[in-house]
Amino acid sequence: MKQTRTILAALLGATLLATPSLADEIKIGVVGPLTGPAATSGIAMREAYQFVADQVNAEGGVEMNGEKHSLNLIFEDSASRPEMGVSAAQKLLTRDNVDLLIGDTFASSVTIALMDVAASYGKFVMSGQPVSSEIARKVESNPEQFANFWKSSWNSDAYAQAVFEAVEGLTEAGKFSPGDKKIAFVFEDTDYGKSNTEYALPLFKDAGWTETGHEAVPLGHSDFYPQLSKLRGNAPDVLVSIFTSVNSGIALTKQIKETGLETLHVAIYYPLRPEFHEGVGADSENMLWTPMLFDPVNNEKHKALYELLGAKGITGNGDHAQGYCQFAMLVDNMKRAGTVEPAKLSEAFATTDFDCYTGRFVYDTANHTPKIGAEFLPVAVAQVQDGVSKAVWPETSATAEFK
């Protein structure tokens, strides 16, 4: 295995007292939501990117061909709107003449819109948090056009994969006994809910599971008694619920307890919102959920990053953690490439093996997407234990044993 590089060794060090004189600068354009509904996440990503850039500059910059280059980040607002993101990218690529582009830092729809435009400028492009599998499909469908575009987050099927691997892994480890291996799905009737179900179901069927419930409900649905009545008759060993509406998640979880349905409840997305746990109380006890992306209370690596950011007055969250490691990975690849020339930088991305606080970046070169899993970027599955969410899968991310 290639020797992995740690961000602590690559970018950080002792207290920095002075900034060395730098020969030249690398201009990096960044498109992300700084206003609008996702502004909180976009601003956190900006803070994380700038934090890493400041550290790199303070340590002397990025060395290329024997010269040190500082990093100059230029941020533009997409407001999570594709047309604004495209306009921002064009401005950065023409008026600012950036050396490379990051876009979008958060919204998949913006990334999909600017991919075609950015490719025509012949610059290297990387996205931030966007997970839509459509991005990866575009790369696979036209590898020549998107040869120099790389994602820095996983695909949208990662959550379904995480649920499957957790259930199978806990079963193989003897920590969970699924009985007849019957599974049911309750999900919101949206692209998000349907796609996660469509990704997960074949994985379970191929492993010998039988689907005994397939219940699609409207967005924001809150009366699950009819669905739960049917499910009680089918007695699923595992019930997977998928909602972006926290209120739906609260209602279903409470009604599972009220109706006495005995099943392992596994939730996708909504329990990562703190208002879910506030609203559901003790009724969430022992349920599993994903994705648990940042846990500085129980995860020592995450705690180290939280403290590092905190020393600069930043209260770190999951957005900061992803932004920090994504940008640090980009910097490491620039160092290895020794240039920002798109083809050379893409070669470096293709051979990425980079350890960071959130996991290890290694790419699937067919679709330019980071690999997920215990040995790569873990999409952690948590269990609520005594009112506290703790990662129980994969084992490399676990901070507690499954109960």
Side-chain angles (χ1 to χ4, degrees):
M1 177 182 291
K2 300 173 187 157
Q3 182 179 0
T4 58
R5 293 160 297 282
T6 64
I7 185 59
L8 288 173
L11 298 177
L12 305 178
T15 302
L16 303 167
L17 302 177
T19 301
S21 176
L22 303 177
D24 203 353
E25 71 174 17
I26 298 168
K27 288 196 292 186
I28 302 175
V30 185
V31 178
L34 305 179
T35 61
T40 300
S41 294
I43 290 169
M45 294 289 283
R46 179 180 66 182
E47 290 175 340
Y49 284 5
Q50 191 63 59
F51 182 94
V52 176
D54 290 344
Q55 291 283 353
V56 170
N57 289 341
E59 292 183 344
V62 179
E63 183 171 344
M64 294 181 179
N65 297 321
E67 291 188 341
K68 295 286 189 177
H69 298 260
S70 64
L71 301 179
N72 177 14
L73 274 58
I74 305 173
F75 296 91
E76 292 290 337
D77 185 18
S78 71
S80 299
R81 293 166 52 189
E83 70 277 10
M84 280 191 64
V86 169
S87 178
Q90 290 173 327
K91 182 260 184 186
L92 290 166
L93 291 163
T94 56
R95 190 185 311 171
D96 296 308
N97 193 29
V98 296
D99 296 295
L100 58 97
L101 180 73
I102 301 175
D104 193 83
T105 61
F106 190 78
S108 293
S109 60
V110 177
T111 296
I112 292 169
L114 65 78
M115 284 176 71
D116 295 311
V117 175
S120 66
Y121 286 89
K123 299 290 180 71
F124 181 90
V125 184
M126 181 185 91
S127 59
Q129 286 199 51
V131 299
S132 174
S133 296
E134 180 59 30
I135 299 170
R137 281 194 286 268
K138 282 175 72 74
V139 174
E140 283 190 296
S141 67
N142 197 332
E144 183 177 351
Q145 180 179 1
F146 300 113
N148 298 317
F149 175 91
W150 296 76
K151 292 181 71 179
S152 54
S153 192
W154 46 74
N155 289 330
S156 51
D157 59 353
Y159 305 133
Q161 185 75 33
V163 168
F164 169 73
E165 290 183 354
V167 172
E168 282 291 284
L170 292 169
T171 301
E172 292 172 3
K175 298 177 181 180
F176 172 60
S177 298
D180 295 328
K181 299 184 74 171
K182 295 190 293 186
I183 190 168
F185 293 87
V186 179
F187 55 96
E188 64 181 38
D189 193 11
T190 64
D191 287 339
Y192 184 82
K194 290 185 289 188
S195 64
N196 271 288
T197 303
E198 289 166 0
Y199 283 128
L201 183 55
L203 298 174
F204 281 95
K205 283 187 172 181
D206 288 346
W209 289 72
T210 302
E211 185 186 34
T212 60
H214 192 91
E215 303 289 335
V217 299
L219 181 65
H221 189 75
S222 60
D223 179 8
F224 293 95
Y225 293 107
Q227 289 82 16
L228 291 173
S229 178
K230 290 164 58 178
L231 291 173
R232 285 187 66 187
N234 294 329
D237 300 292
V238 173
L239 170 61
V240 179
S241 62
I242 309 159
F243 306 117
T244 57
S245 167
V246 176
N247 289 336
S248 292
I250 292 172
L252 175 65
T253 305
K254 283 182 170 292
Q255 290 164 32
I256 287 173
K257 293 296 182 181
E258 290 174 16
T259 58
L261 177 64
E262 294 292 334
T263 187
L264 176 63
H265 183 197
V266 188
I268 294 179
Y269 180 72
Y270 60 88
L272 67 79
R273 303 281 293 275
E275 57 265 38
F276 167 76
H277 300 281
E278 295 167 3
V280 78
D283 288 342
S284 65
E285 190 67 17
N286 293 329
M287 73 180 291
L288 294 178
W289 65 271
T290 194
M292 190 176 202
L293 302 177
F294 190 57
D295 182 17
V297 174
N298 300 297
N299 186 305
E300 289 299 320
K301 291 176 69 176
H302 294 179
K303 180 180 179 182
L305 177 57
Y306 183 86
E307 292 175 347
L308 179 68
L309 295 169
K312 294 294 184 180
I314 299 173
T315 302
N317 57 33
D319 293 319
H320 290 102
Q322 291 186 82
Y324 182 98
C325 285
Q326 290 168 3
F327 196 81
M329 181 265 297
L330 170 64
V331 170
D332 187 70
N333 281 335
M334 287 193 294
K335 289 180 177 179
R336 293 194 303 115
T339 179
V340 291
E341 194 275 316
K344 293 293 184 183
L345 191 50
S346 288
E347 288 178 8
F349 265 74
T351 58
T352 299
D353 195 341
F354 182 77
D355 273 349
C356 194
Y357 296 99
T358 60
R360 174 174 163 235
F361 287 81
V362 175
Y363 273 89
D364 180 340
T365 55
N367 57 23
H368 295 190
T369 302
K371 297 180 180 181
I372 66 164
E375 298 301 318
F376 304 109
L377 294 180
V379 182
V381 176
Q383 184 180 38
V384 181
Q385 300 181 357
D386 300 321
V388 178
S389 291
K390 298 180 179 180
V392 295
W393 192 264
E395 292 180 346
T396 52
S397 299
T399 60
E401 291 288 331
F402 172 79
K403 291 184 178 180

